[in-house]
Amino acid sequence: MEEKTYEMELKLLRAGDFSGLRRELTEWNEVDIADFLEELEPANMIRVFRILPKDISAEVFSYLEPENQEHIVTSITDVEVRHLVDDLFLDDVVDFLEEVPANVVTRVLKNTDPDTRKEINTFLRYPEDSAGSIMTNEMITLHDSMTVRDAIRSIRETGEDKVSIYTVYCIDATRHLIGTIDLADLIYHASDTLIRDIMDDDKQLIYVHTTDDQEEVAKVVKHYDLLSVPVVDREERLVGIVTVDDVIDILQEEATEDIEKMAAITPTDKPYLRTGIFETYKARMPWLLLLMISATFTGAIITRFEDALATFVVLTAYIPMLMDTGGNSGSQASVSVIRALSLGDVEFRDVLRVIWKEIRVAVLCGATLAAANFLKLLFLDKLALPVAAVVCFTLVLVVLVAKIIGCTLPMLADRVGLDPAVMASPFITTLVDAIALLTYFRLATFMLHL
């Protein structure tokens, strides 16, 4: 997709031609308008936001970054805040309020009607990153006693303000979820047909609970290929739905969090360029200190075997290669297993199968690397056969141990309730480095009679 340069729009803005800018922007998709606003200085962003037609300004607002949403809300009047909240979907209001300071939350709640305020407060009480905190209650519900004629009339009267009308949720008199029905099924059935006779209730109902983690919600939507998934409370009463656009945001958020953890960085939900220097420092420094302290073990191992190194100084030259190969081998296994765990492809009960697979892979990889390295050591480096053998045997063992550690640590972390991504490259590399050095020096001591 071609990147917009906004030259004409910026020219209109500088010239003060707001009517022309308004005409231009109303032809755009709301996402593109939000991207344009993100490029502007705060004062100009407010001016442009205020000229947007009411029917699109709320949707544009929902696509802005939280700090820009906060700036808009603190810059507009109470009346404008009230209209904005009225036009936003409830889940977008909740998402915004979860990201802003308490004084902004207070102002927004003050400018909402009592019923909306009660609903917002209910959503805000759900645990963070739970299904309840990301759902919306703006969905189509039908009582099972209704006819198709009544159902279509109800959808026409209320559907315009709903997030999705493609799937309709059927409830009984006490709001228990008892079935679903696609909009197409309503259209193709006779007008006097009862909803209970055509709704899907003869198969397993797919739903999540309000307290389920958002990552589990995403897995359900992906597994069953849904556009939305209903959310029920502890009494199995329908309270909302989570739509696929929210699931996409969840997947991106969870993937970003895993990547940051795998790089030994404390996760943050702020974009990189909007994260302050000191905040970035605080996210990285604790992990660097921890890894630095753990890496001192490798120095202690080298010190312990310094006599052996003094006898065969040439051994020192191959320490970086062995440590790097071990770290890379462990990282390959850990990343593969972490990804498989996140997708639900493997569970802890599969640990023996995973280890057996990685052992076979390690033997093949280690043998190939050792063979290639053996030829290099003999013909290019001109090493004596015993020394070359020590390096190559160590290489095979290091690859084997690294892959076993790399596949088991994430599974053990997942088993005890930790995020498997924490057991990624930095931790595994540090552990494998120490094991590689111990193996190397022990083999050298045994085979070279040091």
Side-chain angles (χ1 to χ4, degrees), residues 98-360:
E98 288 178 333
E99 301 291 337
V100 297
N103 63 311
V104 179
V105 176
T106 301
R107 186 181 183 214
V108 171
L109 293 179
K110 185 182 69 174
N111 288 287
T112 58
D113 62 76
D115 291 338
T116 302
R117 189 181 310 123
K118 181 179 178 181
E119 289 183 331
I120 291 174
N121 284 324
T122 300
F123 277 64
L124 290 175
R125 282 196 294 268
Y126 287 115
E128 186 178 3
D129 295 335
S130 66
S133 69
I134 60 172
M135 71 181 181
T136 178
N137 62 357
E138 289 154 331
M139 68 283 183
I140 298 289
T141 57
L142 300 174
H143 287 279
D144 62 329
S145 58
M146 297 174 68
T147 64
V148 168
R149 180 187 300 105
D150 295 333
I152 292 177
R153 183 185 303 116
S154 176
I155 293 173
R156 286 173 176 167
E157 291 173 352
T158 63
E160 184 177 0
D161 297 325
K162 305 303 180 183
V163 172
S164 173
I165 64 171
Y166 302 110
T167 301
V168 178
Y169 300 96
C170 306
I171 56 177
D172 61 17
T174 55
R175 290 196 63 82
H176 289 98
L177 178 66
I178 58 175
T180 62
I181 184 169
D182 292 334
L183 181 61
D185 291 335
L186 287 175
I187 296 174
Y188 292 127
H189 280 86
S191 298
D192 56 352
T193 305
L194 291 175
I195 294 299
R196 66 168 61 99
D197 294 332
I198 59 174
M199 67 182 182
D200 293 329
D201 62 347
D202 58 345
K203 59 185 179 182
Q204 178 189 5
L205 281 174
I206 309 302
Y207 59 85
V208 297
H209 288 91
T210 52
T211 54
D212 287 348
D213 186 84
Q214 63 176 12
E215 195 167 1
E216 295 302 316
V217 177
K219 289 179 180 178
V220 170
V221 172
K222 176 182 178 296
H223 183 73
Y224 292 101
D225 198 21
L226 303 174
L227 288 177
S228 59
V229 61
V231 182
V232 300
D233 60 15
R234 282 178 293 185
E235 285 76 34
E236 310 295 326
R237 292 174 300 194
L238 181 66
V239 292
I241 62 172
V242 176
T243 53
V244 69
D245 59 320
D246 293 316
V247 169
I248 293 173
D249 292 337
I250 292 168
L251 294 174
Q252 179 178 331
E253 178 183 325
E254 295 291 342
T256 301
E257 182 178 313
D258 286 346
I259 290 170
E260 289 175 333
K261 286 181 178 178
M262 290 168 68
I265 299 173
T266 302
T268 176
D269 54 4
K270 289 185 178 180
Y272 173 75
L273 291 178
R274 292 190 175 93
T275 305
I277 295 174
F278 189 69
E279 191 174 352
T280 303
Y281 158 80
K282 290 195 299 181
R284 298 180 183 180
M285 200 62 238
W287 293 98
L288 290 175
L289 284 172
L290 178 62
L291 293 172
M292 182 187 71
I293 293 170
S294 62
T296 58
F297 290 113
T298 60
I301 293 170
I302 293 175
T303 301
R304 182 181 175 185
F305 289 93
E306 60 184 354
D307 292 338
L309 289 174
T311 304
F312 276 87
V313 179
V314 69
L315 292 174
T316 308
Y318 301 100
I319 291 176
M321 181 271 293
L322 292 171
M323 293 172 64
D324 287 349
T325 302
N328 291 335
S329 299
S331 296
Q332 287 179 335
S334 67
V335 169
S336 299
V337 171
I338 289 169
R339 185 59 178 162
L341 285 169
S342 67
L343 294 175
D345 293 340
V346 298
E347 299 176 4
F348 185 76
R349 64 186 179 186
D350 302 313
V351 64
L352 293 180
R353 293 174 59 193
V354 172
I355 291 174
W356 176 233
K357 175 180 179 179
E358 290 297 333
I359 287 175
R360 288 176 288 173

Side-chain angles (χ1 to χ4, degrees), residues 27 64-65 70 162 334 350:
E27 300 295 323
L64 294 172
E65 293 293 335
E70 178 186 346
K162 305 303 180 183
S334 67
D350 302 313

Side-chain angles (χ1 to χ4, degrees), residues 307-316 318 383-394 439-450:
D307 292 338
L309 289 174
T311 304
F312 276 87
V313 179
V314 69
L315 292 174
T316 308
Y318 301 100
L383 287 188
L385 184 61
V387 178
V390 168
V391 175
C392 292
F393 277 133
T394 303
T439 304
Y440 188 34
F441 295 140
R442 290 293 185 187
L443 276 177
T445 301
F446 175 73
M447 297 179 67
L448 302 178
H449 307 290
L450 300 178

